[in-house]
Amino acid sequence: MGFGLFGSKKDKKSKQKAMPKNADGSIAVETTKILEITIVSVNNITRSTDTIGKIDPYVILYGNGQMLGKTKPVDNATSCVLNELFVIKPKGDPRSVQFKFDLMDKDDIGDDDEVGSGAFNPAAEESLSNQIVHLKWKGQDIGSITINITIKDVLVV
């Protein structure tokens, strides 16, 4: 015999908020889009800023003019695998982000040197996988980088 101090299981169920449902009856969840940008490799760089040896390349990544990050430098290489991932949550349409890539040469003495730069517009491409970004210095081709961009839906909690 209960005295009703704590309420029954039936009472608890009626007090819980109902989970929002989609039209098909599945539970509705809130998601947001993120971009995963992988700088895969530096390819066949022909411009040298060092008098001795090869450049020590790294890449600075920009999205809509804002610096998003940079890769670690690799010693003495004109081609190398980087495989570095950057994750951002863009405002609005993820394909509207305009990317710029600056290839730099890490110097132990003095300032790092810009080797070349290139741009990538996801809105202009059908596929965002294994894209080649051509790099230029003063209008001349100096090599390329390979990138992958993935658009993902992630849960908002």
Side-chain angles (χ1 to χ4, degrees), residues 32-74:
T32 190
K33 293 199 181 300
I34 63 165
L35 283 174
E36 293 181 343
I37 305 101
T38 303
I39 300 176
V40 178
S41 62
V42 172
N43 313 307
N44 305 314
I45 302 305
T46 57
R47 180 170 183 261
S48 180
T49 58
D50 290 344
T51 52
I52 300 172
K54 297 177 182 175
I55 65 169
D56 305 314
Y58 68 94
V59 177
I60 302 175
L61 168 64
Y62 298 88
N64 291 342
Q66 180 178 342
M67 188 176 118
L68 303 176
K70 58 185 174 179
T71 66
K72 293 177 183 71
V74 176

